Amino acid sequence: MELSTQALVLSVLGVFILIIALIILYRYWMVNKSEKLLSGELTPTHSEALSARNKYPRLNIFAQSGIMLRLGMVLSLLLVVFVINWTQYEPPVVIPEDALAFDDELEIEPPRTAEPPPPPPPPPPPVIEEVPEEELIDEDPPEFLDMSVEEDTYIEVPDEPEAPPPPPPPPEPEVEEIFQVVEQMPRFPGCENMSGTNEEKKACADKKMLEFIYGNIRYPAIARENGIEGQVVISFVVDSDGEIQDPQIRRDIGGGCGQEALRVVKLMNNMPQNWTPGRQRGRAVSVQFNLPIRFTLQ
């Protein structure tokens, strides 16, 4: 037996209401019977005449204990059966055929990989010049100047030196180059630990990406009511750390489909793992990724 979440909640709620109703009915029955026993309308049975155990001999609160015990055990077993058979259903993910194929060809620029600059030429060999011996020149003895200052002596104050020029502005930060085609394209996470070639990992990553997209996408009500179908293309950049940057709607079909596809793409940054970044010449680079998403009415 399989139970959905809704059926389990309704069953537990029904059992709870049933228990409350039984308690209320039993309390009403006991109060009614006790009043009749106290008034003498009913003759107490042998089991009800418990003068040694009860404050009120005509009332026996243990008479129905066996029924209540069995009822509690049955309800407990039913609750355990419901919990054991609780099945949480996962909606099936329907992936359209040729989900990653573009309806129209998109222009793709060649990779903008900058060639490394050539090495600088070697410096010329040093030239050794012969230095002639310096001639010894007889120097005159130094002259001593009178540095005494009198009251009428005029002292000329030199001008203050000019302030040095301000330092040049700092260089602008280098903008990371964004590629469109690289040697190893970025991949959706979840398949990096598997053994196999890059092509096998790419196929596994594409499958997981499609399951994520079509498992989270919700067909907009406006598009469904107006019968809008087609392909939406979302363009984004997978940076060198594997994060999604600058997602944009490159092709839209209207009816809110473009915004819904954009929302699902932004959800990829909330995953526990980032994308595997693309690589060019052995280093991680930023790559522009064009993702087609099909909206098909069932």
Side-chain angles (χ1 to χ4, degrees):
M1 182 175 61
E2 295 181 353
L3 295 175
S4 62
T5 304
Q6 183 178 5
L8 178 64
V9 172
L10 293 177
S11 301
V12 173
L13 184 61
V15 171
F16 180 76
I17 295 174
L18 178 62
I19 293 175
I20 297 298
L22 289 176
I23 292 174
I24 294 175
L25 291 176
Y26 184 71
R27 185 174 182 275
Y28 174 77
W29 178 74
M30 288 293 295
V31 170
N32 189 22
K33 185 177 181 181
S34 63
E35 292 177 353
K36 291 181 179 181
L37 287 173
L38 292 175
S39 62
E41 295 181 11
L42 293 177
T43 303
T45 61
H46 178 72
S47 61
E48 292 173 344
L50 302 174
S51 56
R53 295 175 56 186
N54 297 339
K55 182 177 180 180
Y56 301 99
R58 296 184 178 183
L59 296 178
N60 182 13
I61 61 175
F62 302 100
Q64 308 297 329
S65 60
I67 297 176
M68 291 300 170
L69 177 61
R70 295 182 183 91
L71 179 61
M73 293 179 63
V74 170
L75 294 178
S76 300
L77 287 174
L78 289 176
L79 183 60
V80 170
V81 170
F82 286 152
V83 172
I84 292 176
N85 290 276
W86 178 25
T87 301
Q88 186 173 4
Y89 292 94
E90 295 184 359
V93 179
V94 180
I95 300 176
E97 296 182 0
D98 300 331
L100 294 178
F102 293 95
D103 291 342
D104 299 328
E105 291 293 334
L106 298 177
E107 295 182 0
I108 300 177
E109 299 178 2
R112 297 172 290 173
T113 304
E115 295 291 338
V127 179
I128 302 176
E129 298 181 356
E130 183 179 359
V131 180
E133 295 182 359
E134 297 181 356
E135 297 179 359
L136 297 178
I137 303 175
D138 295 336
E139 297 180 354
D140 296 333
E143 296 182 0
F144 293 96
L145 301 177
D146 186 10
M147 303 297 293
S148 60
V149 179
E150 298 181 358
E151 185 178 355
D152 299 335
T153 304
Y154 175 75
I155 300 175
E156 184 178 359
V157 180
D159 297 334
E160 295 183 359
E162 296 181 358
E172 297 181 357
E174 297 182 0
V175 179
E176 188 176 3
E177 186 177 8
I178 299 176
F179 296 83
Q180 290 190 353
V181 178
V182 292
E183 297 171 354
Q184 179 180 321
M185 294 296 289
R187 295 193 292 261
F188 192 82
C191 298
E192 295 306 311
N193 295 329
M194 64 173 292
S195 59
T197 62
N198 287 332
E199 289 76 12
E200 294 174 347
K201 292 182 179 180
K202 183 68 167 59
C204 173
D206 289 345
K207 180 180 178 182
K208 289 186 176 295
M209 179 182 65
L210 293 176
E211 291 176 353
F212 175 84
I213 292 173
Y214 291 99
N216 289 279
I217 206 162
R218 300 294 179 265
Y219 214 109
I222 298 177
R224 186 183 297 276
E225 293 172 359
N226 292 275
I228 298 176
E229 295 181 312
Q231 186 183 77
V232 175
V233 178
I234 303 296
S235 174
F236 55 90
V237 175
V238 182
D239 63 11
S240 56
D241 295 328
E243 294 185 357
I244 304 298
Q245 303 289 342
D246 193 26
Q248 297 179 359
I249 302 174
R250 189 164 182 179
R251 181 188 300 161
D252 197 0
I253 58 176
C257 294
Q259 296 298 328
E260 177 63 18
L262 186 64
R263 181 190 68 83
V264 175
V265 170
K266 290 181 179 180
L267 285 178
M268 295 181 183
N269 279 335
N270 299 332
M271 298 186 302
Q273 294 181 348
N274 291 340
W275 279 53
T276 301
R279 291 190 170 273
Q280 181 74 4
R281 297 182 181 272
R283 66 184 182 92
V285 295
S286 297
V287 182
Q288 183 178 1
F289 198 91
N290 297 316
L291 177 63
I293 300 177
R294 294 184 181 275
F295 286 83
T296 305
L297 291 172
Q298 301 296 329

